[in-house]
Amino acid sequence: KIDNFLPGVVDSILFPDLYSEFVMCRLVQLVLLGIICASAKNDGDPSHFLQNWVGELLPVLGNATLLDISLPGSHDSMTYDLSRRIAQNANDIPPFLAEILHYIVPKYMVGSFIRDQAKTQGLTITQQLDSGVRFIDFRVTFTGGPWSKGSEYDWYCLHLVESNQKALVYLKEIRKWLDEHLEEVLVIYLSRHGNTCLKGIDQYPGTTPKIRQQFFDQIATVFDGVLFDANISRTNETSLQDLVNRNHRVLFYIADYKEFSGSSNYVMDACQYMINTGTSGGVTDEVRATGYLINTFKNMERKRITYKKENKFFLQSLASSSPMKQVEYAALITFQPFDHDGLKDDCAAIFNIPGFKGWCPLTLQDVSQLAEYYNQRSLEFGYTKGWLFPNGFYTDAIDVNGTFRIGTKLFGEMKNGISNHDITRYAYIPTVIGSSLNRACAISSNFQECNRLNSIIENFRSLYPMKEWNEPMFGRIEHWPKLPL
């Protein structure tokens, strides 16, 4: 406005030195204000904080080792991109049967049904990392490609059916993300089906040590310059800040360590240095599963002290497999044109949830999101008690903004659901991060940074709080199983 403009012009003519000093001070104020505003914006922006949470927490967690914190992870991380073809050397079935099904299922059966019984994730690996995942469950097998008969064998990701792309494609995507996030640390667990100690062809059927080591050499090339080096760093001694400074930011735990990697110092032996535990009871016995998780969290501090001395990474699965009877009922409902109501009731009864009837989870994603509804209660209970969590979790149904999905609508499903909680989510990743932060801040003198980070975490948790509701038709009920006082 002219009234504001003219005095400035007059001042600049009559008092040039003073006016220049005033302008300079004003510019400094604006720059500082911009920095503050940018910082405030980043603090409230999940897309920034969750993409960079390890680096964000370094002022508080920098002196902690990898075995002093908890990493939020995803289970069967690559299943968002599965084909319809059963892998040769697939998990859970004999190799000769996998060989036969590899060729006949896509042509003579509905391969999409089988894929739906194997898919646990809806986000790409980049989206999972952006959402805060720092533990990747990377499962591979040596198989012919998914699209052409008699195609050349290579390494593909799998969960019964194989991935659309070769495994190296996804690993290169992970490396690209790491190059864009220079203070992030990542753990990758490589196996065929989660067993840490199977070796040779029991772990990777249809392969030789030479084939396995050739693949390892390709992996080492992809991650050249950022791999952990056990000759220099130790997981129970080297601080996170030193891992970042040394660029030892990717730690692989490898099944069949000796024959797969040639006993490389750039990876860790999963059989010797990882404890991989599942839940007890699972989605068909939530009373037992809830009790198991709460007891695990309650005793985790003592266990982690022991495991840290032994240089062992404690991994806790929150994932739940589909019960075989549920898969059977899902197939009947999908392919049989009659008696669906009775089949749905029989299917629902498998899960032993009070009042649950009239619906059958038709896919593994349905089962996973039902399990996550109850997992949130155990996580929230452990967090509010101030208990330590394991070194790593891996679980299903990872969603945006650091959540996992507890509602009924599946990833990629276009139609609107009939539940009032289709895409309801829980702040899984901020809760796991917050557990590490709270423990570090209890002994930190950096009060200002602790307060800032705690405010960010609690803001995210308030956006996606633990939420219970009564929809017994979909297996969701309030205040069950009963939690301890």
Side-chain angles (χ1 to χ4, degrees), residues 129-143:
L129 292 166
D130 284 348
S131 196
V133 164
R134 294 297 177 269
F135 178 94
I136 294 174
D137 179 24
F138 200 84
R139 303 190 180 192
V140 295
T141 195
F142 193 63
T143 178

Side-chain angles (χ1 to χ4, degrees), residues 68-353:
D68 292 322
I69 66 171
S70 298
L71 297 179
S74 59
H75 167 251
D76 273 313
S77 304
M78 315 314 296
T79 58
Y80 65 87
D81 193 31
L82 293 176
S83 71
R84 294 182 177 91
R85 190 178 291 273
I86 290 178
Q88 291 156 311
N89 304 314
N91 56 281
D92 291 340
I93 55 178
F96 79 89
L97 181 58
E99 180 76 19
I100 296 170
L101 295 178
H102 177 77
Y103 290 112
I104 70 170
V105 166
K107 187 173 182 180
Y108 298 110
M109 297 176 65
V110 182
S112 59
F113 174 81
I114 299 175
R115 180 184 60 188
D116 286 344
Q117 308 312 312
K119 181 178 178 180
T120 68
Q121 303 298 342
L123 300 187
T124 68
I125 192 59
T126 293
Q127 290 170 329
Q128 291 177 43
L129 292 166
D130 284 348
S131 196
V133 164
R134 294 297 177 269
F135 178 94
I136 294 174
D137 179 24
F138 200 84
R139 303 190 180 192
V140 295
T141 195
F142 193 63
T143 178
W147 301 118
S148 59
K149 185 175 180 180
S151 60
E152 185 177 344
Y153 271 56
D154 210 319
W155 292 88
Y156 287 81
C157 298
L158 86 156
H159 190 204
L160 186 61
V161 292
E162 63 189 274
S163 56
N164 285 311
Q165 305 290 332
K166 295 176 182 178
L168 276 177
V169 172
Y170 307 109
L171 292 171
K172 289 176 180 178
E173 185 177 348
I174 294 169
R175 175 59 196 263
K176 180 178 181 294
W177 186 91
L178 281 162
D179 288 342
E180 296 168 353
H181 301 81
L182 297 178
E183 291 187 314
E184 296 308 292
V185 176
L186 188 62
V187 171
I188 303 175
Y189 172 35
L190 193 145
S191 70
R192 183 175 69 115
H193 194 49
N195 188 300
T196 58
C197 289
L198 287 179
K199 295 177 173 60
I201 59 174
D202 293 330
Q203 182 70 249
Y204 304 108
T207 65
T208 63
K210 181 179 179 180
I211 290 173
R212 280 169 251 149
Q213 289 182 28
Q214 285 174 339
F215 182 43
F216 174 76
D217 290 341
Q218 292 176 309
I219 295 172
T221 298
V222 170
F223 291 99
D224 182 46
V226 295
L227 286 172
F228 180 88
D229 186 347
N231 286 342
I232 300 172
S233 300
R234 289 182 60 84
T235 55
N236 62 349
E237 294 178 1
T238 305
S239 70
L240 289 172
Q241 186 65 67
D242 283 343
L243 291 179
V244 171
N245 293 343
R246 296 170 184 174
N247 222 7
H248 292 180
R249 298 188 295 119
V250 180
L251 173 58
F252 275 91
Y253 285 91
I254 300 282
D256 187 33
Y257 166 76
K258 183 177 180 180
E259 291 192 357
F260 192 98
S261 73
S263 302
S264 172
N265 55 289
Y266 291 108
V267 295
M268 299 286 285
D269 183 352
C271 185
Q272 184 174 355
Y273 294 113
M274 175 179 281
I275 299 170
N276 184 12
T277 59
T279 56
S280 178
V283 72
T284 59
D285 189 353
E286 285 294 348
V287 172
R288 185 177 176 187
T290 299
Y292 166 81
L293 285 175
I294 288 176
N295 188 61
T296 296
F297 301 157
K298 183 178 181 180
N299 294 292
M300 186 50 58
E301 185 158 8
R302 174 179 53 81
K303 289 182 178 180
R304 275 190 25 184
I305 291 172
T306 300
Y307 295 143
K308 183 180 178 182
K309 291 178 180 178
E310 298 171 351
N311 202 22
K312 292 182 178 180
F313 185 96
F314 187 95
L315 176 64
Q316 176 65 59
S317 173
L318 297 175
S320 184
S321 300
S322 292
M324 285 307 299
K325 290 295 290 183
Q326 173 267 327
V327 176
E328 179 183 329
Y329 284 121
L332 291 172
I333 292 168
T334 300
F335 300 114
Q336 179 177 293
F338 51 84
D339 192 28
H340 285 186
D341 289 343
L343 290 171
K344 289 177 181 177
D345 285 344
D346 291 342
C347 176
I350 297 168
F351 294 88
N352 300 301
I353 297 172

Side-chain angles (χ1 to χ4, degrees), residues 29-30 51 61 186 235 378 413 459:
Q29 288 177 329
L30 290 173
Q51 285 180 34
L61 287 181
L186 188 62
T235 55
S378 301
E413 196 172 46
N459 180 56

Side-chain angles (χ1 to χ4, degrees), residues 7-19:
V9 173
V10 173
D11 288 346
S12 66
I13 295 171
L14 297 179
F15 310 103
D17 294 337
L18 290 175
Y19 187 73

